């Protein structure tokens, strides 16, 4: 009975610990799509599977990627050959990039990081964020400006139906005429059949779903 009671107590404590950990991860700044990957990295830190020296190297490489947009070829090769190094690099890069994009102050960043990883690792990452925040912010802002495309300012459309033409195939067949005004002033006009418009709608919806699926993939969180 005593053994059964102790086992039950351990299970209860384990569930309580898990609940507390879930609450912590829900409160920090980490993006929901990246929590699983980063949480795995932090668990490896707690279990001493990632040496402090290796973690320090990966932080340096992550900062380099977020301030220069590239890594030396030998560094890339080393990352691909070691799964632990690769996951640590992705995790630190993701944490730093997300914090910069959310415009977190150093104090906010430090508070959250100290909740999710051991103190000695948190100290290294927080120091890098404090020292290189302005450079990372400038680089990511400039990159976002260079990648920006004109947006949709307004959309006009109408449906035309031809009742008389030399081409019998076009008689009484509705055609959708669309005019798109872009944010840079450019106007794009085109016409399409109802069938092609439905096909376009389907393709756009499919691409949006694929984009959301790709954004959740851990291999696409590097943003180098």
């Amino acid at each position: 009975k005593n053994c059964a009671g102790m086992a039950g107590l351990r299970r209860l404590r384990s569930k309580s610990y898990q609940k507390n950990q879930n609450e912590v991860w829900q409160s920090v700044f980490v993006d929901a799509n990246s929590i699983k990957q980063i949480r795995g990295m932090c668990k490896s830190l707690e279990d001493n599977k990632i040496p402090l020296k290796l973690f320090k190297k990966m932080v340096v490489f992550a900062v380099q990627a977020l301030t220069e947009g590239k890594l030396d070829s030998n560094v890339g090769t080393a990352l691909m050959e070691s799964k632990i190094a690769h996951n640590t690099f992705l995790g630190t890069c993701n944490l730093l990039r997300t914090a910069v994009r959310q415009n977190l102050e150093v104090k906010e960043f430090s508070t959250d990081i100290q909740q999710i990883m051991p103190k000695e690792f948190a100290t290294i990452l927080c120091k890098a964020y404090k020292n290189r925040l302005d450079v990372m912010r400038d680089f990511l802002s400039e990159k976002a400006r260079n990648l920006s495309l004109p947006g949709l300012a307004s959309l006009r459309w109408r449906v035309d139906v031809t009742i008389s033409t030399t081409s019998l195939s076009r008689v009484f067949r509705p055609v959708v005429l669309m005019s798109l005004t872009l944010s840079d002033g450019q106007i794009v006009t085109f016409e399409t059949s109802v069938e092609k418009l439905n096909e376009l709608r389907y393709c756009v919806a499919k691409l949006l779903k694929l984009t959301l699926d790709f954004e959740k993939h851990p291999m696409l969180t590097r943003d180098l």
Side-chain angles (χ1 to χ4, degrees):
K1 290 183 179 179
N2 289 337
C3 291
M6 290 296 293
L9 182 60
R10 283 196 295 269
R11 285 196 297 270
L12 185 61
R13 287 176 177 173
S14 177
K15 289 181 180 179
S16 177
Y17 174 79
Q18 188 68 32
K19 181 180 179 181
N20 291 338
Q21 286 296 299
N22 290 337
E23 290 176 352
V24 167
W25 281 96
Q26 289 172 7
S27 68
V28 296
F29 69 89
V30 180
D31 183 80
N33 294 332
S34 308
I35 280 184
K36 184 177 180 180
Q37 192 269 331
I38 294 176
R39 193 167 180 174
M41 180 195 73
C42 291
K43 181 68 166 60
S44 296
L45 296 177
E46 293 174 0
D47 295 341
N48 296 317
K49 293 181 180 179
I50 301 175
L52 190 63
K53 186 177 180 180
L54 174 64
F55 182 79
K56 194 178 294 186
K57 275 187 178 180
M58 295 305 106
V59 171
V60 171
F61 295 153
V63 170
Q64 181 185 351
L66 296 173
T67 55
E68 301 176 17
K70 60 182 179 180
L71 292 172
D72 297 335
S73 57
N74 58 329
V75 173
T77 302
L79 291 176
M80 294 305 295
E81 291 176 351
S82 170
K83 185 176 180 180
I84 292 178
H86 183 250
N87 289 339
T88 305
F89 169 76
L90 288 182
T92 53
C93 208
N94 211 320
L95 285 169
L96 291 170
R97 184 180 62 249
T98 302
V100 172
R101 286 179 171 173
Q102 293 185 17
N103 204 25
L104 283 189
E105 295 299 329
V106 174
K107 186 176 181 180
E108 295 176 281
F109 179 81
S110 299
T111 299
D112 280 4
I113 291 299
Q114 289 172 15
Q115 292 187 75
I116 63 176
M117 66 175 62
K119 182 178 179 180
E120 61 271 26
F121 295 98
T123 300
I124 293 171
L125 190 60
C126 292
K127 184 178 179 180
Y129 186 77
K130 178 181 178 181
N131 293 340
R132 304 294 286 171
L133 174 58
D134 291 339
V135 183
M136 290 189 291
R137 186 178 288 160
D138 291 343
F139 176 79
L140 292 177
S141 297
E142 181 63 27
K143 187 176 181 181
R145 284 194 294 269
N146 292 338
L147 290 176
S148 62
L149 296 173
L152 181 64
S154 65
L155 169 66
R156 299 177 62 190
W157 63 276
R158 73 169 188 260
V159 177
D160 291 344
V161 179
T162 302
I163 60 175
S164 178
T165 180
T166 55
S167 175
L168 293 177
S169 61
R170 292 178 61 89
V171 175
F172 295 115
R173 291 181 65 88
V175 174
V176 181
L177 182 66
M178 305 189 73
S179 178
L180 287 68
T181 303
L182 306 183
S183 57
D184 61 358
Q186 183 182 1
I187 298 177
V188 180
T189 303
F190 65 93
E191 70 173 35
T192 179
S193 65
V194 174
E195 292 79 12
K196 285 295 181 182
L197 180 63
N198 288 333
E199 185 178 337
L200 175 63
R201 291 172 56 214
Y202 170 79
C203 290
V204 170
K206 185 177 180 180
L207 285 173
L208 286 174
K209 184 180 183 305
L210 287 173
T211 300
L212 292 174
D213 291 341
F214 279 134
E215 287 178 349
K216 295 177 183 178
H217 198 289
M219 286 298 293
L220 298 179
T221 59
R222 287 179 289 180
D223 193 24
L224 301 181

